[in-house]
Amino acid sequence: MILSLASILILVYFVLMETQMLVLAVMSVRSLRRDRLVEKHGRIDDLLSSDLSPPVSIIVPAYNEATGIVESVRSMSMLRYAKFEIIVVNDGSSDETLAELLDGFRMVEVTIPFRHEIDTADVRGIYRSTLPLPILVVDKENGGKTDALNAGINVAKYPYVLLTDADVVMDGECVLRAMRHVVEDRQRTIAVGGNIRPINGSTVNRGRVTDTHMPRGRLERMQILEYIRSFIGARPGLSLMNGLVLISGAFGIYRRDIMAQVGGFREGHLGEDMDLTMRLHKHMRDRGLEYRIVYAADAVCWTEVPVNRRILKKQRVRWHRGLSMVVKDFKHMLWNPRYGLLGMFTWPSFFLFEYVAPIVEVLGWFILPFSVITGDLNLAYAIPLTLFAFFLGAVNSLIGLYLDESYGYFSSPLDALR
């Protein structure tokens, strides 16, 4: 009896998980339709005029990135946007990262006064390019990625900062499309997240993705579907509710003053991007301030996903340890009406279906087969629940693929079919 009940509860859990995903997918359809309408009549090219576009500081932490750092920064310098600066923070690299940057962009050391609002490791020097490129290099003692980002926030002179990684490939209009959401509501918008897409199987030429195809490896394909379900099938819906719990560290634009107020990134936190997003919510809610944290599905940034199980396991263990830290720090916000839909729906959903899910899955692998062997499983309930869970999962995947294909990211429709 106990085994049968436990088995049914596990199956009900997965039905509820996929139902929650379906709700978000439906809301994502609505959110993306609204975005398309605004973009159609908003004349996005008008944002290229400097009087409409708030300037942005792009902050790139770099540690032992000598091989590709110059090419990466050069591609960022060609982004379509009215006014921006690129701040590369050399986090005490032990290779030739600093030398490559100084030589590649003909940099000279300068004395620039900057704010020390966030504590960081010592800055050893600041360099500016003598080329007609808005590039700064901050050379500092090693303190880790979050410390490097905080140093960049201190040095940034513009009101918005874009935090990214040295190894990502940005779409040429990603900043323009993300900042459109800021221009829509400059007073309330404090952060904008971008659409992170796996680059595996695609062709990159001079810092731009020129040909997109589905990779051959099954593991990579599964991750692409996972990213599509998350970034296209769920996050637009979460954004519609102002309930985003995570802005990916690969691409996120923030108001610099709010970042300074919350103290930037916390050192030693494995889930630094989620921790920051939740602290932004808490900061604004606790002070009764109107705000919004939005998601821009058409602001695309490309990154490589793990190609084998060993790397994938290492990545996911780190992600879940980071999530555990965030859950511990913000458990008081769970089912707390003070935090609106974030506290009552999106954060509890993330807790139940991201944090708890691996535990339920492991139990399921043991309990379900054992209850079948012992004859305790009530198949009259179990089979319909299993089929319904798989059906909902397939529907969620298809909705995500449909929404993704509407943007035409893949070079061939066959890739979506695969």
Side-chain angles (χ1 to χ4, degrees), residues 305-414:
V305 297
V307 297
N308 59 54
R309 292 179 181 273
R310 180 182 62 83
I311 300 175
L312 180 65
K313 176 184 175 181
K314 183 178 179 180
Q315 179 198 66
R316 298 312 167 97
V317 167
R318 182 184 182 279
W319 283 5
H320 210 77
R321 288 179 63 194
L323 175 58
S324 299
M325 295 174 73
V326 176
V327 167
K328 179 181 178 181
D329 291 340
F330 298 97
K331 58 181 180 294
H332 64 281
M333 294 173 65
L334 290 167
W335 294 285
N336 190 336
R338 178 179 181 179
Y339 297 99
L341 283 173
L342 175 79
M344 295 302 293
F345 177 70
T346 63
W347 181 225
S349 295
F350 215 85
F351 170 77
L352 289 173
F353 301 127
E354 293 288 343
Y355 177 69
V356 178
I359 302 170
V360 179
E361 288 177 18
V362 170
L363 290 174
W365 282 112
F366 288 97
I367 292 175
L368 284 169
F370 190 71
S371 61
V372 170
I373 294 172
T374 59
D376 289 321
L377 184 61
N378 189 331
L379 296 179
Y381 290 105
I383 293 177
L385 283 172
T386 303
L387 293 176
F388 189 52
F390 272 98
F391 170 75
L392 288 176
V395 169
N396 289 330
S397 295
L398 289 172
I399 291 175
L401 286 168
Y402 168 75
L403 293 173
D404 188 71
E405 190 61 19
S406 68
Y407 284 96
Y409 290 126
F410 290 120
S411 298
S412 167
L414 290 177

